[in-house]
Amino acid sequence: MLETELPLPAIDQPVRLPATRAAALDRLHAFLPGAGRAYANGRNHDLPGHPHVSVLSPYIRHRALTEAEVAGAVLDKYAPSTAEKFLQEVLWRTYFKSWLERRPSIWLDYRQGLTRAQDRLATEGGLRSAWEDACEGRTGIAPFDHWAKQLVETGYLHNHARMWFASIWMHTLRLPWQLGADFFLRHLLDGDPASNTLSWRWVAGLHTRGKVYRARASNIAKYTDGRWDAETLGHQLAREDQVTPLEGPEHPSPAPVPEDATWDPALRTGLLMTEDDLHPNFLWSRGLRPATAAVLIAPDGRSPLAVSSHVTQFTSDLAQDALARCAERCETGPVTADPEDILAWAEDAGLEQIVVPYTPVGPAREQLDRLAPRLPSPVVRPVRAWDAAAWPYATAGFFKVKTKMGRIFEAIPQDTQT
Ligand SMILES: Cc1cc2nc3c(=O)[nH]c(=O)nc-3n(C[C@H](O)[C@H](O)[C@H](O)COP(=O)(O)OP(=O)(O)OC[C@H]3O[C@@H](n4cnc5c(N)ncnc54)[C@H](O)[C@@H]3O)c2cc1C
């Protein structure tokens, strides 16, 4: 790879993201004035400090702040047409979540593909050093190296940078996409099984079949305010004729929509949250009165390799914050990544049922599914109104979810009650 002459700009200052719901709400309210046309005009620009996007994803991913709350706050301020772009982006998350939930084998395929790619690191000459250079920002492709370091140091990348990075990873550097998706999951504070896996598959041409995303030098220069030299990059990045969609099997048919569940109010109940939903407001509004609450987290399950300490700390702190908010309603148990602690909690509290906000496909669900048969009492998994409204539409592409936007927004009042 060519060594560029351009000096690397300093890593953009990380945005401050305290791991509390209060900080998430502050951030949402500070962002609202920019959520209308300003967002539509500026959102594609990847600039220091990320002035044109919300940087709410680390909170939304864990549902310390919910999609319904974000959409509701935006709709209180703007006509749907004015904030259409921002609302659509929130719905992309919902769409990916729903799509994977109804095709869980895609997550398993990714995991198996990752194992195979890791095996190749041991056997294929040069692959390990190319992978290490990419993760450590030593490829000589200046913006790519910048984003690799920015990701590791700050836990966040702008959406456009993620697209360019993923494209260069697989189409220019020709590294297995699963290793790149894993690199993201290990370092992104918002690392999410659905948005991450399906976005990498989209860049590869596996999600929208045959439609591949190619990073272009002129596009990078334009949307980074000329921070990178388009001419140098033009010589480095894969040309159109060098980029072909990856091959893969047909998408599986969508599984039925998961059903909502109700608990028995007469039984002694524990609330068990996971890192996928740390705001149990919808359960309070449905009348849940638990004796005790706890949180089971699984950040280490995001990768077979070591997950960044930023990620584990952020997840654990957000979980602590969620539990502290429950303390005014019930006893509190542990925040833990160890299922044995949850077994002890359930047994010591003499629980007769355990209510868990529905946990979608991913590491937390895997951990919960392994634990559930060992718990002394049945697990009940209620579904949020937002998810129940959106999941039926995840049968094909994003368009269907987009056209049903209004129907999904009807879930906002129910999903935001406390
Ligand atoms: C290769 C790749 C990997 C990605 N991995 C993740 C991931 O692991 N976790 C994750 O949350 N997002 C992921 N995204 C989607 C998107 O990049 C981030 O959600 C977005 O950049 C978050 O920044 P923000 O909160 O400032 O977004 P904003 O632009 O302010 O958007 C508001 C919210 O809408 C949602 N959103 C916005 N864009 C997208 C999108 N393209 N897809 C899905 N949801 C979106 C997010 O919840 C976001 O917080 C990935 C995208 C790509 C291309």
Side-chain angles (χ1 to χ4, degrees):
M1 204 53 62
L2 283 172
E3 197 69 44
T4 172
E5 297 294 324
L6 285 178
L8 273 179
I11 300 302
D12 302 339
Q13 277 303 305
V15 175
R16 259 194 87 241
L17 294 169
T20 64
R21 174 167 158 81
L25 287 168
D26 286 349
R27 189 159 194 88
L28 170 63
H29 291 296
F31 175 71
L32 280 179
R37 299 220 191 282
Y39 178 81
N41 295 333
R43 60 181 275 273
N44 278 327
H45 292 265
D46 177 22
L47 301 177
H50 310 296
H52 301 300
V53 291
S54 71
V55 195
L56 284 170
S57 53
Y59 301 113
I60 299 175
R61 183 263 177 259
H62 297 95
R63 282 193 163 160
L65 185 68
T66 68
E67 296 92 318
E69 287 178 302
V70 173
V74 168
L75 286 166
D76 281 347
K77 189 172 170 66
Y78 298 100
S81 56
T82 312
E84 189 181 7
K85 204 66 219 167
F86 183 76
L87 293 167
Q88 273 179 19
E89 292 308 312
V90 174
L91 281 178
W92 266 102
R93 173 188 156 77
T94 302
Y95 161 69
F96 280 145
K97 244 12 214 175
S98 325
W99 199 93
L100 191 67
E101 197 53 35
R102 301 193 59 191
R103 296 162 190 83
S105 64
I106 294 288
W107 171 247
L108 298 178
D109 286 352
Y110 157 65
R111 295 282 235 193
Q112 286 162 1
L114 178 59
T115 305
R116 285 194 299 275
Q118 285 178 318
D119 291 345
R120 282 175 59 195
L121 291 176
T123 55
E124 232 171 83
L127 187 59
R128 175 172 286 278
S129 60
W131 168 68
E132 285 172 352
D133 285 350
C135 294
E136 286 163 29
R138 287 193 310 251
T139 64
I141 303 174
F144 182 93
D145 291 345
H146 173 81
W147 295 318
K149 290 177 189 161
Q150 187 181 21
L151 171 62
V152 170
E153 288 184 25
T154 70
Y156 177 85
L157 282 183
H158 183 280
N159 180 59
H160 225 158
R162 296 183 200 206
M163 290 162 64
W164 295 319
F165 187 95
S167 178
I168 296 171
W169 179 286
M170 64 182 98
H171 301 308
T172 294
L173 300 173
R174 300 203 166 265
L175 290 165
W177 71 266
Q178 294 93 340
L179 292 178
D182 175 67
F183 177 52
F184 269 25
L185 273 189
R186 282 187 282 127
H187 291 282
L188 281 172
L189 295 180
D190 64 29
D192 180 82
S195 288
N196 193 57
T197 312
L198 299 180
S199 297
W200 277 83
R201 283 173 57 90
W202 178 81
V203 173
L206 289 167
H207 187 72
T208 308
R209 315 293 301 192
K211 190 168 172 253
V212 71
Y213 179 74
R214 180 171 71 93
R216 286 177 297 116
S218 57
N219 186 261
I220 295 175
K222 175 175 172 189
Y223 287 108
T224 52
D225 252 8
R227 280 200 283 171
W228 315 104
D229 179 51
E231 203 184 327
T232 312
L233 262 183
H235 294 300
Q236 293 181 309
L237 302 189
R239 296 188 313 266
E240 192 168 2
D241 59 317
Q242 294 171 318
V243 173
T244 42
L246 300 192
E247 303 271 331
E250 290 297 311
H251 295 322
S253 312
V257 174
E259 279 180 25
D260 194 8
T262 48
W263 57 88
D264 182 345
L267 298 179
R268 184 170 167 77
T269 303
L271 165 63
L272 178 61
M273 289 174 278
T274 68
E275 70 204 54
D276 286 315
D277 196 325
L278 292 171
H279 185 47
N281 68 308
F282 76 111
L283 299 175
W284 308 143
S285 69
R286 287 194 206 174
L288 182 71
R289 301 286 176 267
T292 174
V295 194
L296 179 61
I297 56 173
D300 288 335
R302 287 179 207 181
S303 170
L305 299 178
V307 171
S308 150
S309 57
H310 291 321
V311 171
T312 46
Q313 192 66 53
F314 184 80
T315 309
S316 162
D317 289 353
L318 265 190
Q320 287 289 359
D321 180 64
L323 199 63
R325 280 181 278 116
C326 291
E328 55 197 52
R329 295 176 184 262
C330 61
E331 296 291 314
T332 54
V335 166
T336 180
D338 185 350
E340 300 305 319
D341 293 341
I342 298 299
L343 272 179
W345 163 76
E347 276 162 11
D348 293 350
L351 298 180
E352 295 169 304
Q353 71 187 344
I354 298 174
V355 173
V356 185
Y358 187 91
T359 310
V361 167
R365 160 86 152 270
E366 286 159 3
Q367 198 182 41
L368 181 68
D369 285 350
R370 281 194 298 274
L371 175 64
R374 300 176 60 213
L375 286 166
S377 45
V379 172
V380 181
R381 307 183 195 207
V383 174
R384 275 188 180 276
W386 179 272
D387 294 337
W391 283 343
Y393 304 125
T395 47
F398 175 66
F399 186 71
K400 193 157 179 192
V401 168
K402 191 172 116 180
T403 53
K404 301 294 179 188
M405 210 185 236
R407 288 260 184 89
I408 299 170
F409 293 160
E410 283 170 19
I412 292 173
Q414 201 184 331
D415 214 43
T416 51
Q417 271 174 34
T418 47

